[in-house]
Amino acid sequence: MTQGVQHVEPAANSHVDVQGAEETFNELIRQLSRHSQSRNVHRSNLASRTASVMSHTTTPDVEKGKLNVEDSDEKPFDLREYLTSSNDANQAAGIQHKHVGVTWDDLEVNVIGGVGFKAYIPTFGGAVIGFFMAPFLWLWGLLMGFFSNKKPPTRTILHKSSGVLKAGEMCLVLGCPGAGCTTFLKTIANYRDDYASVSGNVRYAGIDAEEMAKYYRGEVVYNQEDDIHIATLTVAQSLDFALSTKAPGPKGRLPGVSSKEFKSTVEDAVLKMLNIPHTRNTLVGNAFVRGVSGGERKRVSIAEMMATRARVQCWDNSTRGLDASTALDFVKSLRIMTDVLGQTTFVTLYQASESIYELFDKVLVLDKGYQVYFGPPSEARSYFEGLGYRPLPRQSTPDYLTGCTDPNERQFADGHSASNTPSSPEDLDATFRKSPTYKGIQDSYQEVMRQMETEKIDQEAFRAAVLADKRRGVSKKSPYTLGFSGQVKALTIRQFRLRRQDRFQLVTSFTLAIALALVIGGAYFNLPDTSAGAFTRGGVVFLALLAVVIEAFAEMPLQMLGRPIVNKQTSFGFYRPAAIVLANFLADIPIAAVRIFIFNVIVYFMTNLARSAGGFWTFHLFVYTGYLALQGFFRTLGLLCVNFDSAFRLVAVFVPNLMQYTGYTIPTFNMKRWLFWIYYINPLSYAWGGAMENEFMRTSYICDGDYIVPRNGPGMDIYPNDLGPNQVCTLYGAQPGSDAIPGKDYLEAAFALNTADIWRRCLVVTVAFIIFFLFTQLVAIELFSPKLPGTSMNVFAKENAETKRLNAIQREKKAARANEKQNEEDEKVEGKERLVDAEDANAHAHRKVFTWEDLNYHVPVPGGTRRLLHDVCGYVKPGTLTALMGASGAGKTTCLDVLAQRKNIGVVTGDILVDGRPLGSDFARGTAYAEQMDVHEGTATVREALRFSAYLRQPAEVPIEEKNDYVEEIIELLELQDLTEALVFSLSVEARKRLTIGVELASKPALLLFLDEPTSGLDGQSAWNLVRFLRKLADQGQAILCTIHQPSSLLFESFDRLLLLESGGETVYFGDIGKDSQVIREYFAQHGAQCPSNVNPAEYMLEAIGAGLSPRVGPRDWKDVWLDSPEYKRVRQEINEIKAQALANPAPPQQKTKTYATSFIYQLKVVVQRNNMALWRSPDYVFSRLFVHAMFSLFISLSFLRLGNSVRDLQYRVFGMFWLAVLPPIIMTQLVPLFIFNRLTFIREASSRIYSPYVFAIAQLLGEVPYSILCAIVYWVLMVYPMGFGKGATGTNGTGFQLLVVIFIEFFGVSLGQLLGSLAPSIQIAVLFVPFTSVVLAIFCGVTIPYPSLIPFWRDWLYQLDPFTRMLSAMLSTELHGLPIVCASDEFSVFNPPSGQTCFEWAGEFVSAFGGYLNNPNATAACQYCQYKVGDEYFTPLNISFSNRWRDVFIVFAYFVFNVIATIAASRFLRYARR
């Protein structure tokens, strides 16, 4: 390579060189062959087997330049010739090959929903009604099912289709969006779960679809449009795992070559051939995890497909987002693989060029699910022309074919019209079935079927080859290459790597576990070995397990997040689903064990639990096994639930019962008899029981202090200081006359636990739960694990009167336009482009010119900085359409981001000017930027999304009616009439792309319109319509700059100017394109790159500069050619003239520039309306929250039903109110992810200055307020009435006051969740802080550790700052004030007075000092003392005052206000949007 190219960094120059890849392949063959003694047979054997493993040997780059292959003196290796000779040798040696031709006959696919079926978005109101109606509807469905066999209505989305594709052939599937291309590919690939029914006969080398799915899964694969990978694995690890599950057994490798050597050599070769060795140790990444580039990620998908060694491959629009040269490279590589390895390849592509089209053997054209053509590509155009369609020689054949199926685009030849030419899908299908081409297909089908039934050569060879590939011990009937134990081993290694490599998660989880342990240890520091330390020891054990419950709860969402990966890899035949369950369990053991061990060490020894080695290790054993059991429980729920919200509802049922029925808060003998069974099926109760028995079997306690009755109060000296004969110890298990209480006795009396059960019951049952939940996970993932719906179906909002009227008008316009006579192409677009015609031409008279000079951009990388743009110059004039092109990775999007002022990391240097002057603060508002990522509020309809943009981005003085009319014109222009009420989240890729552009157009940009790959994901006709519209906008005076991929020659010529970049952000050309691309053709021609007349200049110029597989044309780097050219000097001169001319005019008068187009109040109104609608249309989220509140309160109330006036009931009243402290973390768990998802949308919208961050934060809160009040009321109703609140002095008014407290706590939970969300960079980090925050607040509120027992360090600040302190102070004082207490018979402390004294004479002064009452004051024996007489005596020692209740409740409200202010500030200054 020349010196000029060597300056380019290797990572950015990464197209796959076919020749280089073949040399690498040849070298691989030679290396592996050295292990063989028999040169001929073994060498050819390995060639075949390695080719089989690497079924994509020459797959090209999907992202950047070409592979840097060292020059070699060896003769280039001819892969085809070599493998042909190898195959001959293999056949001679009796080695079979996988040649799988595909035949399909009368293939038809149906989905649920009749003709005209529309799915409507469920709403919160509907969810509430549906919940109460569910039992009746279920009963009705049961009756109807019993009396009627009527099946649900279905509709056909793929009509009867027939065809043959032989081994070694490629088929291109074409059609407009919605034609059924993806459905066809999925069905051919045997992916049938998404559909109601699939009929017809599909055979693979004569094997039917059922047998193929059962025994040969992984031999037929489907590569979806999106790349799904584990983001935190490196590229090498991802490939290593794929190979470890699919590499062949000993019979599939050469003798002497171990599995490890084979895997390592193949992995190296694959990375070299795909030209991604530089990414070996780079994370794969995704939208949220920084990793390899998008194109490199596409190559990882290709590598995974290689590892499957599948012989039937279906590629769904895999060139999306690629430039023309790399798209061509990709398909060329598929061609080579198909030829050499005998694969059968189906591909669907949008915007396929003529060069790509010519590489296929067959083309299938679909129209609304009907097969309207299948046959040779060379005959397809003439077939449609013969039907009566106008020949359009300048249009590429794929665009022409799809255009013939589009009612809006097709043109009939002279003398033809829709009346005398087949044009409907049904007519086109019927016409094709009568054609000679179809007859040829039928003949070919019959011949192939006859061969398959009689000879069966390919089928038998295929079966033998699959069998030979299996590892030792794998059943012949197994569809997997690797046995189950091998799968578990490979997955365990992968899952352990995942956990180990997620450093941030590891560090954060360990840090929070240590911090939580220190807090618990500090709160219960050095518990005494006296009666005061007995009950609190139970609290320590309970809190330790509670922390574990919360940590295990995090497993549930992880199961759902990982589901797409599992579905994809199991469909590839890597492993059976059950293997991932065991692998997760095994991989978790070491990391969880270490984390819990550190947690336990701190808690155990800081709190002074029984300090012995046996005691600690037994405690650790029970906490850890309890964690594993609960982890299995939550994972099972995660596998069974469709989404997080449904899982969340289950949690509301299980978690309060798990915690309530451990035996700590309610001892077993006090549990309601009809709920007692929950204790026995609760894994936490056995872990807690075992840990408690372990502690108390080793300890005994001295009775002292508050546990002696009667005792001396302040200034008294009446009673003995130690336990005397006329005093009693009130601690459970105390014996008369003894001040020492054995721990065993205390445990038996207080909790009905027997220390003899520690091993035979507690441990055995806990381990049994672990095994049981492992089994339930295996069953759930194999049989019941729900799959996310894969079919794309639009979901609609119901029309109101206004939208009905507007939609009727749109339908009328569409019908009128369809009926118009459209002879000329210009006439054809006139009806749909009135939008721009209607604009005032004078509005463009004073548009400004946008220029940039010497633009450089450097970003920080490990070890320094990296330059992505170098001295880029150019301009965009009003009324011009400028294209920004280059190979993938050349810096096109980067350049657009820099020019649009969207970058917030790195250093930008150079001049970016508007009319020769620096950019003002209103620049972002005066421009529109349609980004590549289509980020929108998913629950908005198309019309609502467009109106939202128009309302907030067009000037405030524009009337609302005018904005609405403008939106209707955009809908018509972008052909979204049928989707106006469709929800954004349900739109297809191309519809969402059109919406993205529409949202930006709705702003009426005054200065400049930026578009990043606006045609990516669109079919050829949609792309042509869009560019034609942009051309029209430009002609009206709009300045437009857009990046573009894969433009056809017609598309390319629609642009005025081109900025062409090569790798490294170097300028190759900036200037006019000219009619028929004449100007740019001449420029390249005069420097040695002559573009042939029949080649698309957009493709040719990329190849000429070395972006494609072909070497660069010419001896010099094209950036150097540009810098030395007169064209470059003219550009610099013109920029100077533009600036001089602009500066010669007087500067516009200094006006106060507004950052936003509308006022703060108007922004808030519009954004709040959208948020309210989003929540109303998110019933899963809102109803789940309501359901959780109802169930949580109900289950707590059931445990404390109809409380009386005993001391025990007093304690239960306190517990019932304390459970309110658990509400905020439950709210936060659900609310934090929603807030962060909404922030992603806001970040995209904020970059266009649509509305301020203050509006975002306030609107998020206001949207939650009505639902928070509703949830609080439901919780309150189910708390105060079933438990029997309001029996104290405050009565009914007191219960009303409790409602105010509940509402304020609800607000506090919402605001704290939003504050955590605004402070955290990601959901994963935010949710880690929820349990920590919640446990700390719950510990120090004065209930779990009473105020007098708190260590002064905590009591002086954390207790005072805790909002739950104020909550409980307000609630306890209100509920217990004036509440009479009457001890039950077993609650009295019984003691005998000294001889000759009555109970009152002996204990009267004690009662006066400490409160309570004597039940028999005049008795002379068996005095009965009750600890409390009125509820005030309970809360007064806890530093709670009834007179402070209003102060306390408004302190809680003040915390809410603080959270709101902090959230607003965080939203303003913390965006976490690095770009």
Side-chain angles (χ1 to χ4, degrees), residues 607-777:
T607 56
N608 190 32
L609 297 182
R611 287 182 176 169
S612 67
F616 168 74
W617 286 109
T618 306
F619 174 79
H620 176 60
L621 175 67
F622 277 104
V623 172
Y624 184 54
T625 51
Y627 168 76
L628 291 178
L630 288 164
Q631 183 191 57
F633 171 70
F634 284 120
R635 282 181 173 173
T636 302
L637 289 186
L639 291 171
L640 289 172
C641 295
V642 178
N643 55 33
F644 182 73
D645 290 305
S646 59
F648 199 66
R649 289 199 283 269
L650 282 179
V651 167
V653 174
F654 289 111
V655 167
N657 289 312
L658 282 174
M659 296 162 71
Q660 189 91 302
Y661 289 90
T662 53
Y664 175 65
T665 54
I666 311 176
T668 52
F669 47 78
N670 283 331
M671 292 176 183
K672 303 289 183 190
R673 292 299 92 188
W674 42 281
L675 293 173
F676 187 60
W677 54 273
I678 300 175
Y679 171 80
Y680 284 103
I681 62 167
N682 181 4
L684 200 60
S685 67
Y686 296 94
W688 178 78
M692 288 287 284
E693 288 161 14
N694 167 64
E695 174 64 21
F696 286 94
M697 68 189 283
R698 303 172 191 274
T699 54
S700 62
Y701 303 93
I702 302 298
C703 191
D704 68 349
D706 293 346
Y707 286 85
I708 296 177
V709 173
R711 61 185 178 276
N712 293 315
M716 293 170 58
D717 190 19
I718 300 172
Y719 309 103
N721 289 325
D722 295 325
L723 189 68
N726 301 109
Q727 294 167 295
V728 68
C729 181
T730 59
L731 187 69
Y732 286 107
Q735 298 297 323
S738 172
D739 63 351
I741 301 100
K744 294 180 180 180
D745 294 350
Y746 169 76
L747 204 60
E748 177 71 35
F751 300 105
L753 292 176
N754 185 352
T755 53
D757 291 337
I758 184 169
W759 304 117
R760 71 188 183 192
R761 175 177 177 269
C762 294
L763 183 66
V764 169
V765 175
T766 306
V767 172
F769 269 117
I770 295 172
I771 296 167
F772 172 73
F773 287 130
L774 259 180
F775 175 73
T776 57
Q777 288 176 73

Side-chain angles (χ1 to χ4, degrees), residues 707-852:
Y707 286 85
I708 296 177
V709 173
R711 61 185 178 276
N712 293 315
M716 293 170 58
D717 190 19
I718 300 172
Y719 309 103
N721 289 325
D722 295 325
L723 189 68
N726 301 109
Q727 294 167 295
V728 68
C729 181
T730 59
L731 187 69
Y732 286 107
Q735 298 297 323
S738 172
D739 63 351
I741 301 100
K744 294 180 180 180
D745 294 350
Y746 169 76
L747 204 60
E748 177 71 35
F751 300 105
L753 292 176
N754 185 352
T755 53
D757 291 337
I758 184 169
W759 304 117
R760 71 188 183 192
R761 175 177 177 269
C762 294
L763 183 66
V764 169
V765 175
T766 306
V767 172
F769 269 117
I770 295 172
I771 296 167
F772 172 73
F773 287 130
L774 259 180
F775 175 73
T776 57
Q777 288 176 73
L778 295 173
V779 172
I781 201 168
E782 287 283 348
L783 302 179
F784 302 112
S785 186
K787 286 188 168 56
L788 297 176
T791 46
S792 56
M793 181 173 66
N794 294 125
V795 179
F796 294 85
K798 290 195 173 175
E799 295 177 318
N800 57 28
E802 184 196 12
T803 54
K804 266 184 184 174
R805 178 179 60 80
L806 293 172
N807 290 337
I809 293 170
Q810 289 285 6
R811 284 192 293 271
E812 287 170 13
K813 286 183 180 178
K814 186 177 179 182
R817 197 171 65 249
N819 292 331
E820 288 173 7
K821 179 116 177 112
Q822 300 167 347
N823 293 325
E824 297 295 330
E825 193 169 308
D826 290 340
E827 287 178 12
K828 182 177 176 183
V829 298
E830 198 170 311
K832 57 182 358 188
E833 288 167 353
R834 287 167 301 186
L835 167 62
V836 290
D837 291 336
E839 294 196 14
D840 183 4
N842 294 327
H844 308 291
H846 303 293
R847 283 192 183 268
K848 299 171 182 178
V849 183
F850 184 65
T851 62
W852 61 94

Side-chain angles (χ1 to χ4, degrees), residues 1346-1392:
Y1347 176 78
S1349 304
L1350 270 173
I1351 296 170
F1353 172 76
W1354 301 115
R1355 193 167 58 202
D1356 291 343
W1357 70 281
L1358 193 51
Y1359 167 81
Q1360 302 293 347
L1361 284 175
D1362 192 338
F1364 293 164
T1365 300
R1366 307 301 165 189
M1367 172 196 83
L1368 286 164
S1369 295
M1371 294 188 76
L1372 288 180
S1373 61
T1374 303
E1375 173 59 21
L1376 302 184
H1377 175 60
L1379 179 72
I1381 305 298
V1382 180
C1383 277
S1385 58
D1386 60 341
E1387 292 175 343
F1388 289 108
S1389 298
V1390 180
F1391 56 89
N1392 292 315

Side-chain angles (χ1 to χ4, degrees), residues 338-384:
T338 304
D339 290 345
V340 172
L341 302 173
Q343 292 176 180
T344 308
T345 308
F346 293 84
V347 183
T348 180
L349 296 175
Y350 289 160
Q351 301 181 52
S353 67
E354 200 68 33
S355 308
I356 288 175
Y357 180 77
E358 289 168 355
L359 292 170
F360 287 87
D361 303 289
K362 297 279 173 59
V363 62
L364 170 66
V365 183
L366 294 173
D367 183 8
K368 299 289 190 297
Y370 287 92
Q371 177 178 307
V372 298
Y373 180 82
F374 177 68
S378 57
E379 299 174 10
R381 184 187 280 267
S382 58
Y383 170 78
F384 280 94

Side-chain angles (χ1 to χ4, degrees), residues 252-280:
R253 303 190 304 266
L254 280 176
V257 179
S258 69
S259 176
K260 188 176 180 180
E261 287 174 316
F262 183 89
K263 191 169 62 174
S264 173
T265 313
V266 170
E267 184 180 310
D268 289 341
V270 167
L271 290 172
K272 286 178 185 175
M273 291 175 198
L274 297 175
N275 196 27
I276 47 174
H278 59 280
T279 67
R280 176 188 292 272

Side-chain angles (χ1 to χ4, degrees), residues 10 253 283 353 487 1004 1039 1062 1104:
R253 303 190 304 266
L283 296 182
S353 67
Q487 294 171 18
K1004 281 192 177 177
E1062 71 175 13

